[in-house]
Amino acid sequence: MTARLSTHRFTRVLATGAITVMLATGAATQTHIVAPKNNYAPSDDVKLGRDAAAEARKELPILNDDRVREWVQDVGLRLANNIPAEYQHPEFKYDFDVVNESDINAFALPGGPMFVNRGMIEKAHTEGEVAGVMAHELSHVALRHGTAQATKAQKFQIGAIAGQILGAVVGGTAGSLIAQGSNFGLSTYFMKFSREYESQADVLGSQIMARAGYDPRDMANMFKTIEQEGGASGPEWLSDHPDPGNRYQRITDEAKLLRVNSSYSTGQFANIQTRLKNDGRSYTAQEIADGKAKTANNGTPRPAGRTANVRVDPPSSSLKTYRPTNFLQVSVPSNWSQVGQDNGITYAPQGAFYDSQGGGTAFTHGVEFGTAQGSSGNLQRDTQSLLQSFARSNPNLHQQSGFSRVNVNGRQGLVTQLSNVSEVTGQQEFVQLTTTYLRDGNMLYMIGVSPQNEANTYNNTFNRVRSSLKISDR
Ligand SMILES: [Zn+2]
């Protein structure tokens, strides 16, 4: 089971944040972008982005070359300082890291943190091309597209996302019970955009470039370079930033409406590319996902490839009691320990928990607790929404039974059994999910996971763990 908040894809985000072409007294002026409706406060963007960035820095290999980072900072801040005043948010802090990844990609998180892949800098032909991708990403941040997308999402789709946000609130203290999955999973949610938002970012990005002294057509050129890369690199950026249609033409048209007052460049681009040639090897996205990249992360890398057998001792019959939050007490087999506190609370035996550098964590035996928003007041419906979100990071997850009522420390709960294919072993695994409401209407869930061939033993263990739960929220 991979504990990672899923990437939600929305079939269609309705276009209300429309682009309005303004014609003033017969003369064409630049396109005016209206930021889409957003129910979140800018301070929410800042918090979400900061948490996700911290997770990204743990899980991605950050390039250890200050000169390259400073150069990216110079270009990025030049652009950020040229965001038009109406799209500036004083709370936002634009900040730039370089990831030692060969795939052409870059991503920006709500509130300002941006990650630029080394491969993007290496494949670019000019500084303006790098600036083009960065200006596009900055525009998503300035227009607050991540939280605007969450605003538009229907309740059942937003449930798990909001649960992630609310998890810290529900838990109350540090080390609190946070909704399923890592914040880095959350960040991928904020990086997938609709074509409508893509068009907005292309247009505003062009305007920012012109103000900063870069030729907006370099953005279009870089998109062409990304398209031509194809293969293993390129498509990821394109799947996060789909072509809104005639992208190249649209940017070129906008460029004609813009005046690039004085041409700007750091003059360092050639030096930076030369430096990168001597910066040792970089890693593909796949290698990073497989835990092969060297990073500052000191978690246990997931074993490379799939290992058919994971050696784990059977659950002890004696129990050990934990109090992971101020409102929860639980007893688990005494040979399990608490792991992965930042990403939800997991109890697992030695050898069953993996800190996956490609995103989130995976465990083969044990239980995980988390919270998710209960948005419907109907436990079965909210549980189904939660399952949908789990299924997005566990594509082989299938429900094997209906929902049965179960008593969870005196509260009504639901339990269901599922099957999955373990990301770690490649083998079938058994999953038991229990949900119940907390007093504030949010859901508490418990996921038990074991290999399919040990399902009987572990099903009993999960039932014992559930019976031990004491929930004392009010
Ligand atoms: Zn985009």
PDB file of all heavy atoms in Angstrom, residues 136 140 193 198 201 237 240-241 247, ligand 1:
ATOM      1  N   HIS A 136       6.103  30.982 -16.741  1.00  0.00           N
ATOM      2  CA  HIS A 136       4.839  30.248 -16.817  1.00  0.00           C
ATOM      3  C   HIS A 136       4.472  29.688 -15.435  1.00  0.00           C
ATOM      4  O   HIS A 136       3.340  29.840 -14.964  1.00  0.00           O
ATOM      5  CB  HIS A 136       4.982  29.127 -17.857  1.00  0.00           C
ATOM      6  CG  HIS A 136       3.802  28.215 -17.955  1.00  0.00           C
ATOM      7  ND1 HIS A 136       2.840  28.347 -18.931  1.00  0.00           N
ATOM      8  CD2 HIS A 136       3.419  27.167 -17.196  1.00  0.00           C
ATOM      9  CE1 HIS A 136       1.911  27.412 -18.754  1.00  0.00           C
ATOM     10  NE2 HIS A 136       2.251  26.677 -17.701  1.00  0.00           N
ATOM     11  N   HIS A 140       1.210  30.585 -12.642  1.00  0.00           N
ATOM     12  CA  HIS A 140       0.277  29.699 -11.927  1.00  0.00           C
ATOM     13  C   HIS A 140       0.220  30.086 -10.441  1.00  0.00           C
ATOM     14  O   HIS A 140      -0.843  30.082  -9.827  1.00  0.00           O
ATOM     15  CB  HIS A 140       0.735  28.243 -12.015  1.00  0.00           C
ATOM     16  CG  HIS A 140       0.425  27.565 -13.323  1.00  0.00           C
ATOM     17  ND1 HIS A 140      -0.836  27.530 -13.868  1.00  0.00           N
ATOM     18  CD2 HIS A 140       1.223  26.856 -14.167  1.00  0.00           C
ATOM     19  CE1 HIS A 140      -0.812  26.835 -15.006  1.00  0.00           C
ATOM     20  NE2 HIS A 140       0.428  26.422 -15.208  1.00  0.00           N
ATOM     21  N   PHE A 193      -2.861  21.150 -14.201  1.00  0.00           N
ATOM     22  CA  PHE A 193      -3.726  22.277 -14.501  1.00  0.00           C
ATOM     23  C   PHE A 193      -4.612  22.020 -15.717  1.00  0.00           C
ATOM     24  O   PHE A 193      -4.284  21.226 -16.593  1.00  0.00           O
ATOM     25  CB  PHE A 193      -2.871  23.519 -14.727  1.00  0.00           C
ATOM     26  CG  PHE A 193      -2.097  23.917 -13.502  1.00  0.00           C
ATOM     27  CD1 PHE A 193      -0.721  23.816 -13.478  1.00  0.00           C
ATOM     28  CD2 PHE A 193      -2.758  24.363 -12.367  1.00  0.00           C
ATOM     29  CE1 PHE A 193      -0.005  24.175 -12.343  1.00  0.00           C
ATOM     30  CE2 PHE A 193      -2.045  24.711 -11.228  1.00  0.00           C
ATOM     31  CZ  PHE A 193      -0.673  24.621 -11.212  1.00  0.00           C
ATOM     32  N   GLU A 198      -3.821  26.827 -18.142  1.00  0.00           N
ATOM     33  CA  GLU A 198      -2.591  26.834 -18.947  1.00  0.00           C
ATOM     34  C   GLU A 198      -2.523  28.071 -19.823  1.00  0.00           C
ATOM     35  O   GLU A 198      -1.487  28.724 -19.938  1.00  0.00           O
ATOM     36  CB  GLU A 198      -2.525  25.582 -19.825  1.00  0.00           C
ATOM     37  CG  GLU A 198      -2.073  24.357 -19.078  1.00  0.00           C
ATOM     38  CD  GLU A 198      -0.834  24.631 -18.276  1.00  0.00           C
ATOM     39  OE1 GLU A 198       0.218  24.896 -18.883  1.00  0.00           O
ATOM     40  OE2 GLU A 198      -0.904  24.614 -17.040  1.00  0.00           O
ATOM     41  N   ALA A 201      -1.631  31.047 -17.815  1.00  0.00           N
ATOM     42  CA  ALA A 201      -0.216  31.087 -17.411  1.00  0.00           C
ATOM     43  C   ALA A 201       0.680  31.427 -18.597  1.00  0.00           C
ATOM     44  O   ALA A 201       1.696  32.113 -18.443  1.00  0.00           O
ATOM     45  CB  ALA A 201       0.196  29.759 -16.781  1.00  0.00           C
ATOM     46  N   TRP A 237       6.085  17.167 -17.914  1.00  0.00           N
ATOM     47  CA  TRP A 237       5.743  18.577 -17.871  1.00  0.00           C
ATOM     48  C   TRP A 237       4.477  18.816 -18.700  1.00  0.00           C
ATOM     49  O   TRP A 237       3.575  19.537 -18.291  1.00  0.00           O
ATOM     50  CB  TRP A 237       6.909  19.445 -18.399  1.00  0.00           C
ATOM     51  CG  TRP A 237       6.720  20.886 -18.036  1.00  0.00           C
ATOM     52  CD1 TRP A 237       7.143  21.505 -16.899  1.00  0.00           C
ATOM     53  CD2 TRP A 237       6.002  21.875 -18.778  1.00  0.00           C
ATOM     54  NE1 TRP A 237       6.728  22.821 -16.899  1.00  0.00           N
ATOM     55  CE2 TRP A 237       6.030  23.080 -18.039  1.00  0.00           C
ATOM     56  CE3 TRP A 237       5.329  21.870 -20.011  1.00  0.00           C
ATOM     57  CZ2 TRP A 237       5.430  24.249 -18.476  1.00  0.00           C
ATOM     58  CZ3 TRP A 237       4.711  23.031 -20.445  1.00  0.00           C
ATOM     59  CH2 TRP A 237       4.766  24.219 -19.683  1.00  0.00           C
ATOM     60  N   ASP A 240       1.311  17.727 -16.945  1.00  0.00           N
ATOM     61  CA  ASP A 240       0.911  18.677 -15.903  1.00  0.00           C
ATOM     62  C   ASP A 240       0.426  19.997 -16.504  1.00  0.00           C
ATOM     63  O   ASP A 240      -0.368  20.706 -15.898  1.00  0.00           O
ATOM     64  CB  ASP A 240       2.093  18.980 -14.968  1.00  0.00           C
ATOM     65  CG  ASP A 240       2.461  17.794 -14.096  1.00  0.00           C
ATOM     66  OD1 ASP A 240       1.703  16.808 -14.098  1.00  0.00           O
ATOM     67  OD2 ASP A 240       3.500  17.852 -13.422  1.00  0.00           O
ATOM     68  N   HIS A 241       0.984  20.317 -17.662  1.00  0.00           N
ATOM     69  CA  HIS A 241       0.669  21.607 -18.298  1.00  0.00           C
ATOM     70  C   HIS A 241       0.191  21.354 -19.730  1.00  0.00           C
ATOM     71  O   HIS A 241       0.935  21.589 -20.677  1.00  0.00           O
ATOM     72  CB  HIS A 241       1.911  22.506 -18.326  1.00  0.00           C
ATOM     73  CG  HIS A 241       2.517  22.752 -16.976  1.00  0.00           C
ATOM     74  ND1 HIS A 241       2.157  23.815 -16.180  1.00  0.00           N
ATOM     75  CD2 HIS A 241       3.425  22.053 -16.262  1.00  0.00           C
ATOM     76  CE1 HIS A 241       2.850  23.773 -15.047  1.00  0.00           C
ATOM     77  NE2 HIS A 241       3.623  22.699 -15.069  1.00  0.00           N
ATOM     78  N   ARG A 247      -0.761  26.687 -28.734  1.00  0.00           N
ATOM     79  CA  ARG A 247       0.036  27.345 -27.690  1.00  0.00           C
ATOM     80  C   ARG A 247       1.106  28.272 -28.283  1.00  0.00           C
ATOM     81  O   ARG A 247       1.240  29.419 -27.876  1.00  0.00           O
ATOM     82  CB  ARG A 247       0.691  26.244 -26.846  1.00  0.00           C
ATOM     83  CG  ARG A 247       1.712  26.705 -25.862  1.00  0.00           C
ATOM     84  CD  ARG A 247       2.055  25.584 -24.893  1.00  0.00           C
ATOM     85  NE  ARG A 247       1.481  25.882 -23.592  1.00  0.00           N
ATOM     86  CZ  ARG A 247       1.384  25.010 -22.601  1.00  0.00           C
ATOM     87  NH1 ARG A 247       1.777  23.767 -22.778  1.00  0.00           N
ATOM     88  NH2 ARG A 247       0.880  25.370 -21.448  1.00  0.00           N
TER      89      ARG A 247
HETATM   90 ZN    ZN B   1       1.131  25.304 -16.692  1.00  0.00          ZN
END
